[in-house]
Amino acid sequence: MSRSRLTGKLAGVVLAAAVVATITASGCGGANPNDPSGSPGKQLFVEKCGSCHVLEAAGTRGVAGPNLDAAFKQSLADGFERSTIESVVRKQIALPMGKAMPANLVEGKDADAVAAYVAESVKDPSGSEDGAASAGR
């Protein structure tokens, strides 16, 4: 193979890698991990949880279960980390209090995704546009 032909192929590979890197960095072709509004957790939450739970970021208006924005308002105001809220939500999915919600309505990675979405999406009680809390509104 000639040197110019090899250089041309190498340039093509470099160009393709640059295009993939640009698409990935711009958020096209996949969910932005810093924006929970495009996450699989949101879709699962809306499908499996939204008929019972209010969550403003998800646009759900459930009437049977707790309003999740209200449920975590004081915890956030008191300085609890969103990782703590994620843990609480994940445990409630596995072992809900009361009989209205079935245990493990979502499981495994799906339950992890829902818990992460809820934790990042519940309203910040200070009203600031803090991180991902305002995503999807």
Side-chain angles (χ1 to χ4, degrees):
M1 185 178 302
S2 72
R3 182 176 210 156
S4 63
R5 197 164 187 198
L6 182 59
T7 304
K9 284 188 177 193
L10 181 58
V13 169
V14 170
L15 178 62
V19 168
V20 169
T22 301
I23 289 172
T24 303
S26 70
C28 297
N32 177 350
N34 297 319
D35 180 5
S37 67
S39 75
K42 178 179 182 178
Q43 181 180 6
L44 287 164
F45 177 85
V46 170
E47 290 174 10
K48 301 285 188 173
C49 313
S51 64
C52 292
H53 295 283
V54 170
L55 184 62
E56 186 177 322
T60 58
R61 303 284 177 239
V63 295
N67 174 323
L68 298 177
D69 291 313
F72 293 109
K73 181 178 181 176
Q74 190 60 51
S75 297
L76 288 170
D78 290 344
F80 280 75
E81 297 290 326
R82 289 186 182 267
S83 59
T84 301
I85 294 170
E86 181 176 347
S87 180
V88 167
V89 171
R90 182 62 179 91
K91 288 176 183 170
Q92 285 296 307
I93 291 170
L95 299 168
M97 294 173 21
K99 296 180 182 180
M101 182 172 140
N104 296 309
L105 187 59
V106 286
E107 298 179 297
K109 289 181 182 180
D110 289 346
D112 294 340
V114 168
Y117 172 72
V118 170
E120 290 301 318
S121 299
V122 292
K123 274 171 95 173
D124 181 350
S126 70
S128 73
E129 296 298 316
D130 177 31
S134 63
R137 288 191 234 164

